[in-house]
Amino acid sequence: MSDRISKLLSSFESHISIPWPAAVSADERSIFLVYNKQDELKLRARVEEFEQACTKHNHPWQLLDLTLSFENWMAAQDYKETYFEDPEYLKGLYGDFAEELVETLIAQVEASQTEDGVVALLGCGTLFGFASVSGVVEALAEKVSGRLVVFFPGEVQNNNYQLLDAKDGWGYHATAISATS
């Protein structure tokens, strides 16, 4: 058992168990579970424990896993063989990928969410270099009526989030929970 993941889970459960205020912004409904990128596999092995923490406190759970989203999108492209031969052609389509991903996620959320539910976003690290995690989170957060929980492999300091080892980050006013919280 990973000590850091256990601490993250404990901090998350403490946070998710308190009553939720009703009138809060999308930013305030977002929760970032910030963890060390080296703990990715350990975290994935324990995602069900985060779900159990939610359901134990009467918060339905919906997991949206982004891990294969780029691969699935790429497989559906008509000119994928050309892109494999010359990947430079693909760079101009990253915006299309991001837009389609957001549309797909919003459709999934709108189909089954509740105000007391949790929508969990896993696999953000797989978007690195292909889509803006901040753009995906901000667009999705507007559509989530319960809480959006983002499993975030990176760092946060003063509401500035850095995915993986990115040199720059973005400002976002979500609740950040880490193993040290």
Side-chain angles (χ1 to χ4, degrees), residues 10 32 47 55 70 88 90 121 127 133 136 163:
S10 177
F32 276 67
V47 165
T55 57
F70 183 77
E88 290 298 314
L90 188 58
L121 205 53
L127 298 182
V133 173
V136 171
L163 182 68

Side-chain angles (χ1 to χ4, degrees), residues 20-175:
W20 294 357
V24 292
S25 70
D27 289 358
E28 294 169 309
R29 289 191 310 270
S30 300
I31 302 166
F32 276 67
L33 297 178
V34 181
Y35 60 95
N36 190 310
K37 68 182 181 179
Q38 284 99 359
D39 291 337
E40 180 72 25
L41 294 178
K42 294 172 185 173
L43 178 121
R44 285 176 175 270
R46 298 184 63 189
V47 165
E48 287 182 359
E49 293 178 56
F50 289 87
E51 176 181 4
Q52 291 167 356
C54 288
T55 57
K56 174 179 167 181
H57 297 286
N58 300 313
H59 298 299
W61 171 271
Q62 179 182 10
L63 181 65
L64 302 176
D65 191 347
L66 306 176
T67 304
L68 299 177
S69 57
F70 183 77
E71 289 88 337
N72 292 336
W73 176 83
M74 185 68 178
Q77 298 304 302
D78 292 335
Y79 300 106
K80 63 183 162 274
E81 302 305 325
T82 303
Y83 300 142
F84 286 125
E85 290 171 13
D86 193 352
E88 290 298 314
Y89 291 129
L90 188 58
K91 283 186 178 177
L93 297 177
Y94 290 166
D96 294 344
F97 162 67
E99 287 178 25
E100 291 175 29
L101 175 62
V102 167
E103 289 172 10
T104 300
L105 295 173
I106 288 172
Q108 291 174 318
V109 165
E110 289 179 339
S112 62
Q113 74 170 321
T114 62
E115 287 189 11
D116 61 345
V118 170
V119 175
L121 205 53
L122 180 66
C124 289
T126 63
L127 298 182
F128 191 79
F130 299 112
S132 162
V133 173
S134 64
V136 171
V137 168
E138 289 170 1
L140 190 58
E142 290 293 327
K143 303 297 182 181
V144 173
S145 59
R147 295 296 181 267
L148 175 63
V149 171
V150 180
F151 289 99
F152 191 79
E155 298 177 1
V156 62
Q157 289 183 350
N158 301 322
N159 292 327
N160 187 40
Y161 293 83
Q162 291 180 293
L163 182 68
L164 301 171
D165 287 330
K167 290 186 180 8
D168 60 346
W170 82 96
Y172 194 67
H173 295 286
T175 299

